[in-house]
Amino acid sequence: MKFDYDLFVIGAGSGGVRASRVAAAHGAKVAVAEEFRVGGTCVIRGCVPKKLLVYGAHFAEDLADARRFGWDVPECAFNWKTLRDNVLAEVDRLEGAYGETLSNHNVEVIRERAVVTGPNQVRLAGGRTLTAKLILIATGATPVVPSFEGAEHGITSNEAFHLDRVPKRVVIAGAGYIANEFAGIFHQFGAHVTLVNRSDVILRGYDETIRDRLLTISIMKGIDYRFHVKFQRIEKREDGILLVHMEGCDTIEADCVMYAIGRTPNTADLGLDSAGVQLDDKGAVVVDADNKSTCDSIYAVGDVTNRVQLTPVAIREGQAFADTLFGDKPTRVDYENIPSAVFSHPPLAGVGMTEGQARNKLGSVRTYTSDFRPMKNVLAGRNERALYKLVVNAETDEVVGLHMIGPDAPEILQAAAIAIKAKLKKSDFDQVVALHPTMAEELVLMR
């Protein structure tokens, strides 16, 4: 049977773009359908614009610290619209660059919603039906919006980048990385932030001592936390003020409520049942180690599979898919020791097993910590302390986890993650001469 395309990709985010580009480079005839904007969550409404807001927020502390370093800094006013518009302009530039990359690799970009209508067939929103030998689902995930009276008055991270002004009082629902990152951003821009969560655990999955340190520092900065709290309803007054009624906590007045309670795979109304594609209980596409679904001609990569919701993982999966199916280079993604970071204030990062995970899995564990005040914080008169932690297999001396919180922690961890991936021992760390004076030298000085 002759198909219109060798590969039809639904979703032009990080995973879909990489898979399309590489498959086309291998000689495949490829089309990718995107109903919103090329670039996906990370580029358009996620990591990239978020990190630019984080940079902008850091200037609040940097300007204050500069005075202690001899700089005559006048009182500075922050203009949200200037930052917002510059960030959105950068997003526009990146979207153009992604589209150009696809065009340069002879990938046809179809700016319409596409749904699956069979194992080898898709239908576009405009009515056209197209066929493909293989279909790749790379539709990503979308923020969860809770269901209760007045929930429509809240926003998600998607809308946070388009606000007209920085709200004076923000309530953030959730305690994961998105919640903590935006708590830091809004706080530095002068908002009063209240973070509410159903449990008393923040950043589930990160090392307990590191996340406890972030909680302590955040509370010292003035961010409020309300734990063991459930939303009942949100009431919008005539003056626009939101009254947030909760179970387990007094009613809070807010100018903005933001939901950061997780992300759900974008599989609704995608027609996957028409091809016998199995979804799990969270709506994610079930795939095997080669990204194949329960339909032999349909594959999926990235957040829509709900394996590891990280941009670089989606890119690796897209590359592996294209190399395996079109490049005659069978490749599988290694999910062990994936580094991750939270761009909070201060940021934290980790790779490998937490202390708790190591004790459960290995039994015999040694930990090494360095709890110190970064040199810059000392002169700035800032009491904020950094914390680094090595988790070591006591029997083999292998460093199985590295976790840190403090200035530039994600930048430091990216290089250090190579050592964890390479299964280096604590003795290997000890043999490295310290690079002084740096914060990172603490990694090789723990005894």
Side-chain angles (χ1 to χ4, degrees):
M1 179 178 174
K2 186 167 180 358
F3 298 102
D4 297 323
Y5 300 96
D6 299 312
L7 172 64
F8 193 96
V9 181
I10 303 180
S14 299
V17 166
R18 176 59 64 92
S20 303
R21 179 170 68 75
V22 175
H26 287 315
K29 185 181 181 185
V30 182
V32 57
E34 175 53 60
E35 66 177 332
F36 183 54
R37 299 181 71 180
V38 173
T41 291
C42 178
V43 172
I44 305 299
R45 55 193 173 271
C47 351
V48 171
K50 181 268 313 282
K51 185 74 181 289
L52 293 173
L53 292 188
V54 168
Y55 281 133
H58 264 294
F59 281 105
E61 289 181 348
D62 291 343
L63 288 166
D65 291 349
R67 297 184 179 100
R68 292 276 300 183
F69 283 84
W71 290 92
D72 183 12
V73 180
E75 284 304 312
C76 297
F78 171 66
N79 188 310
W80 160 252
K81 287 187 177 178
T82 299
L83 175 61
R84 179 200 64 188
D85 293 350
N86 286 341
V87 168
L88 293 178
E90 173 62 7
V91 166
D92 289 344
R93 185 191 71 79
L94 287 169
E95 182 188 16
Y98 269 71
E100 203 172 293
T101 296
L102 289 171
S103 297
N104 290 344
H105 284 83
N106 298 316
V107 175
E108 183 183 345
V109 180
I110 300 171
R111 293 181 179 268
E112 291 182 60
R113 178 175 174 82
V115 298
V116 174
T117 51
N120 302 96
Q121 186 174 282
V122 299
R123 186 179 66 249
L124 303 179
R128 275 195 302 159
T129 296
L130 301 169
T131 60
K133 183 179 181 183
L134 295 180
I135 297 171
L136 179 68
I137 309 300
T139 48
T142 194
V144 173
V145 175
S147 178
F148 57 79
E149 185 186 338
E152 69 276 8
H153 298 308
I155 66 168
T156 70
S157 55
N158 288 354
E159 294 78 43
F161 300 106
H162 300 274
L163 291 170
D164 289 333
R165 65 187 67 84
V166 176
K168 290 194 173 92
R169 298 162 299 179
V170 184
V171 171
I172 299 178
Y177 74 95
I178 295 173
N180 281 281
E181 287 172 342
F182 274 98
I185 289 167
F186 284 130
H187 173 76
Q188 298 292 5
F189 289 154
H192 179 268
V193 178
T194 304
L195 193 147
V196 301
N197 193 40
R198 289 177 302 176
S199 72
D200 60 359
V201 177
I202 72 166
L203 296 171
R204 192 181 302 280
Y206 283 87
D207 191 84
E208 193 170 348
T209 51
I210 301 296
R211 64 194 196 205
D212 283 351
R213 176 61 55 90
L214 177 64
L215 182 59
T216 301
I217 292 172
S218 297
I219 290 171
M220 283 171 51
K221 286 179 187 289
I223 296 173
D224 281 343
Y225 287 81
R226 298 285 187 271
F227 292 132
H228 300 295
V229 166
K230 284 174 68 175
F231 280 82
Q232 292 177 318
R233 62 193 172 91
I234 296 177
E235 179 187 341
K236 188 170 186 176
R237 294 196 324 217
E238 286 186 12
D239 59 3
I241 301 297
L242 303 177
L243 296 179
V244 187
H245 299 273
M246 289 177 285
E247 187 182 307
C249 156
D250 292 338
T251 298
I252 298 176
E253 284 192 1
D255 304 292
C256 175
V257 174
M258 178 175 156
Y259 308 122
I261 54 174
R263 298 176 63 80
T264 188
N266 278 322
T267 52
D269 303 319
L270 205 54
L272 293 174
D273 53 341
S274 68
V277 174
Q278 184 186 339
L279 305 180
D280 69 11
D281 58 352
K282 295 206 167 52
V285 179
V286 176
V287 291
D288 64 15
D290 293 310
N291 302 297
K292 184 162 74 171
S293 77
T294 48
C295 172
D296 284 346
S297 56
I298 297 182
Y299 290 71
V301 296
D303 290 3
V304 76
T305 67
N306 201 27
R307 285 173 288 183
V308 179
Q309 290 194 354
L310 292 171
T311 297
V313 174
I315 291 171
R316 287 280 176 109
E317 290 170 353
Q319 178 88 39
F321 160 80
D323 283 344
T324 300
L325 276 301
F326 296 99
D328 199 25
K329 292 192 290 186
T331 309
R332 287 181 172 177
V333 176
D334 179 2
Y335 294 95
E336 192 178 12
N337 290 328
I338 295 172
S340 63
V342 181
F343 294 98
S344 45
H345 284 73
L348 60 90
V351 63
M353 285 187 266
T354 65
E355 181 180 348
Q357 289 167 343
R359 291 196 186 284
N360 287 338
K361 186 173 181 180
L362 305 174
S364 183
V365 171
R366 296 197 311 270
T367 61
Y368 299 82
T369 58
S370 180
D371 189 338
F372 63 97
R373 220 170 140 204
M375 187 188 295
K376 184 186 172 194
N377 286 358
V378 174
L379 194 61
R382 195 178 292 284
N383 289 321
E384 215 169 277
R385 297 180 69 84
L387 178 62
Y388 295 0
K389 182 181 201 177
L390 288 174
V391 182
V392 178
N393 183 331
E395 290 183 9
T396 64
D397 197 42
E398 182 188 327
V399 181
V400 295
L402 170 55
H403 311 280
M404 52 206 306
I405 180 170
D408 298 323
E411 301 290 347
I412 297 167
L413 186 105
Q414 174 65 85
I418 299 169
I420 310 301
K421 189 73 175 171
K423 301 186 183 301
L424 296 188
K425 294 179 166 37
K426 176 66 170 68
S427 57
D428 294 317
F429 278 68
D430 295 341
Q431 287 173 32
V432 178
V433 175
L435 179 59
H436 184 73
T438 63
M439 293 177 288
E441 69 181 305
E442 295 297 324
L443 292 176
V444 300
L445 294 176
M446 296 187 213
R447 298 288 187 268

